[in-house]
Amino acid sequence: MSILAANRSFPETLDDGHAPTHVAETHSPPSRPAALVAFGRRAAALPGVPALMMDAAALVAEILGVDDYGIAELSDDRGHLDLCLSATRDALLAGETVAQRQAPFDSRTSLAAFTLQAACAMVVADLPADRRFNDSFLIDQGFRSALMAPLQMSDEAYGAIGVFSREPREFLIEDMLFAEAIAQLVSSTIGRERAVKQLAEERRLTSALFASIDALMLVFDSVGRIRKVNTAFERLTGFTLQEVVGRPVWNTLLVHDDVAETQAMFERLRTTREPIEHENSILTKHGERRRVRWSNSVTLDAAGEIDSIVAAGIDVTRERQVEEKYRALEAAIECERALQNPAAIATTAGSPTDDKPPAPFRPLDPGGFAERRKRPRRSFQYQQRVAPFIDGQTPPADSFREVQCHDISSGGFSFVVDQLPNHVRYIVALGMPPIQMHVVAKVIHSKTVTENGKTHHIIGCQYVSRADCVERQEPRTK
């Protein structure tokens, strides 16, 4: 049964309720728009390529009232054509292959090759007399006239479909246009199917490479949220994909000192879209600091917008440790040389009048911000609530206020304020209501920072003890 017959249904009763007295075994061809719709449904089912091509040729033959049809499938290397002919004139042979042949892709000896090179439908009124080519395969089948349409998209060719008449036949312009419309449907379906297969294969290959490569691989969205990591990343950091997916990299992996630089690097990537190399420190799941050198690049979507940012990293921790030891050794050597040269010491020591009495100790002295914590710090860009802890008394709920945190470690944390605090001890509510931990923290240092013309202070605190108070408030969001 043809495609059209499969899509055709007949009423079991007439409009007056009586059964039909006769349904003809033969039928006139349906309209060409209906045929296009029927074949579009067939193409959407994605049958095999040869079956789809043969169905297309059979449909054109049925609509044009021609007995014979066939296809020519182009080989992958474009070196030859696989020709296959079928017939509709004989019920015993309907849809059956009656002849097939493999022929070189030569426009001088093949109508199919000539049609593909012309890139448009071709009508041949008299095959034996045509001097443009000599297709002995079609002539030997007794064909006199032919209509053939190419299957191709842009510079990609797949083959051709054709209908053939054993009697002289003049094909009309409408016949050519219909054959080309069906051919374009077939071409787009074949192209889509091959593109889907190619994309699936490339994804499998990319996934295999992504998983097996030794370098750390991370894929971010355009604003720095983690989308994907590879096995090497999980092995080094101890984090699984499920633990980090969807989280900003600066709140997950980076030490606080590298957050601003990394955010600036992401901004340069978004602006220039050029690959950037940089180096920073990351913290593993167990708090170990590792130094990583990264190569960063962007991928674009079909609209030319940034789809993702890909980072490939190499762990250079050991190399940096060796370099640090070498610098320390050089400094020790220089110190030893200086101790062996008293004249140099006298020259560089300065006069006694240069000595100044030490300044009185101030716990909140702004100024240098050398690394004080013995434990690794992790960036902690969240708002938490603090209240002064005075004389060991539990502060009332309304004395708590939100502060912007800066970083955190197992021994303390820091937060940002516009003015230096007046108290030395605070109760800090860490976490999210209703699940919070209250700890007493002692202010031990501060750092003054000026950004965009505005001055603020980073206050470093050390945990002292757990607090028994529980702040009563409604659950809030970060």
Side-chain angles (χ1 to χ4, degrees):
M1 180 163 47
S2 71
I3 300 171
L4 294 173
N7 284 275
R8 193 180 288 119
S9 61
F10 298 96
E12 296 183 358
T13 60
L14 299 177
D15 292 340
D16 58 4
H18 294 87
T21 58
H22 174 71
V23 175
E25 292 296 330
T26 61
H27 58 81
S28 60
S31 68
R32 298 186 181 194
L36 285 170
V37 172
F39 188 75
R41 294 171 181 167
R42 169 65 169 160
L46 287 176
V49 171
L52 182 65
M53 293 171 63
M54 193 62 79
D55 285 348
L59 176 61
V60 175
E62 182 179 2
I63 294 298
L64 301 188
V66 183
D67 289 338
D68 296 272
Y69 58 92
I71 64 172
E73 189 173 3
L74 186 61
S75 63
D76 292 338
D77 61 3
R78 301 194 175 195
H80 65 270
L81 291 162
D82 292 319
L83 307 172
C84 183
L85 297 176
S86 292
T88 61
R89 66 184 182 280
D90 190 333
L92 296 177
L93 296 177
E96 297 292 332
T97 300
V98 295
Q100 55 186 9
R101 175 190 175 191
Q102 187 177 90
F105 184 80
D106 188 344
S107 62
R108 298 168 299 177
T109 60
S110 168
L111 172 58
F114 188 86
T115 301
L116 280 169
Q117 286 197 346
C120 64
M122 300 298 299
V123 170
V124 182
D126 192 344
L127 275 169
D130 201 296
R131 294 293 178 263
R132 295 172 296 179
F133 53 85
N134 180 25
D135 196 324
S136 59
F137 177 62
L138 296 180
I139 295 174
D140 291 343
Q141 303 302 314
F143 299 143
R144 288 292 302 275
S145 302
L147 168 59
M148 185 159 277
L151 304 177
Q152 59 186 22
M153 290 185 65
S154 301
D155 59 346
E156 189 72 21
Y158 311 117
I161 59 173
V163 295
F164 313 101
S165 173
R166 297 177 186 277
E167 302 296 331
R169 163 85 181 250
E170 290 188 5
F171 293 99
L172 304 177
I173 295 295
E174 292 79 1
D175 300 336
M176 294 177 59
L177 294 176
F178 178 74
E180 280 196 310
I182 294 296
Q184 289 173 5
L185 269 175
V186 175
S187 301
S188 61
T189 302
I190 296 174
R192 183 175 72 253
E193 184 179 20
R194 292 188 176 182
V196 168
K197 289 181 178 179
Q198 183 179 5
L199 180 60
E201 181 63 27
E202 289 179 353
R203 283 177 174 172
R204 285 193 294 268
L205 178 60
T206 300
S207 296
L209 291 174
F210 195 82
S212 61
I213 196 169
D214 287 336
L216 280 67
M217 299 294 299
L218 292 94
V219 179
F220 309 97
D221 64 13
S222 60
V223 296
R225 289 188 295 260
I226 299 173
R227 283 182 177 173
K228 191 174 182 181
V229 301
N230 70 339
T231 305
F233 170 88
E234 293 180 338
R235 186 168 54 246
L236 177 70
T237 66
F239 289 109
T240 64
L241 175 61
Q242 291 73 22
E243 291 175 308
V244 298
V245 66
R247 297 175 60 183
V249 63
W250 23 83
N251 286 346
T252 308
L253 297 173
L254 302 185
V255 298
H256 75 97
D257 292 334
D258 291 330
V259 169
E261 180 183 352
T262 303
Q263 289 176 332
M265 183 275 298
F266 269 79
E267 184 60 33
R268 290 198 306 274
L269 272 174
R270 288 190 291 266
T271 302
T272 66
R273 301 186 179 184
E274 296 293 331
I276 295 176
E277 293 189 358
H278 84 292
E279 188 173 307
N280 63 17
S281 294
I282 64 172
L283 288 179
T284 69
K285 186 176 182 179
H286 304 293
E288 181 185 6
R289 186 188 294 252
R290 308 295 298 183
R291 193 71 179 172
V292 180
R293 185 171 67 246
W294 300 97
S295 295
N296 306 275
S297 58
V298 301
T299 63
L300 306 178
D301 59 19
E305 299 298 327
I306 295 178
D307 176 67
S308 60
I309 296 174
V310 180
I314 299 176
D315 183 5
V316 293
T317 305
R318 183 172 181 81
E319 290 87 336
R320 298 298 175 263
Q321 290 172 344
V322 171
E323 292 171 0
E324 186 65 27
K325 289 180 180 179
Y326 181 75
R327 286 192 294 268
L329 179 61
E330 284 188 323
I333 293 173
E334 289 298 324
C335 181
E336 183 177 356
R337 289 173 179 172
L339 290 174
Q340 294 174 355
N341 187 358
I345 298 176
T347 302
T348 59
S351 63
T353 58
D354 292 335
D355 294 335
K356 296 180 180 179
F361 174 73
R362 292 185 295 171
L364 299 182
D365 181 22
F369 193 57
E371 180 60 62
R372 292 175 171 83
R373 296 190 193 161
K374 298 179 181 179
R375 302 175 179 87
R377 289 185 282 175
R378 193 181 302 276
S379 178
F380 191 64
Q381 305 292 323
Y382 293 94
Q383 288 189 340
Q384 301 291 279
R385 296 174 64 81
V386 302
F389 189 64
I390 304 172
D391 298 330
Q393 300 298 316
T394 300
D398 57 5
S399 66
F400 281 83
R401 65 187 181 96
E402 285 190 346
V403 295
Q404 177 66 49
C405 291
H406 183 259
D407 61 70
I408 195 168
S409 74
S410 60
F413 82 112
S414 66
F415 61 91
V416 181
V417 291
D418 294 333
Q419 295 181 346
L420 289 174
N422 298 321
H423 305 279
V424 176
R425 291 176 182 262
Y426 286 86
I427 284 186
V428 184
L430 295 175
M432 295 289 294
I435 302 175
Q436 284 188 311
M437 177 178 69
H438 289 75
V439 296
V440 178
K442 177 182 179 182
V443 177
I444 58 173
H445 66 83
S446 69
K447 174 187 176 181
T448 301
V449 178
T450 301
E451 294 179 346
N452 300 323
K454 184 178 180 181
T455 299
H456 57 267
H457 308 280
I458 300 176
I459 308 302
C461 299
Q462 181 181 16
Y463 300 139
V464 175
S465 65
R466 290 288 295 269
D468 296 329
C469 72
V470 176
E471 181 191 359
R472 300 184 181 277
Q473 59 175 330
E474 296 298 322
R476 309 178 73 248
T477 58
K478 291 182 182 179

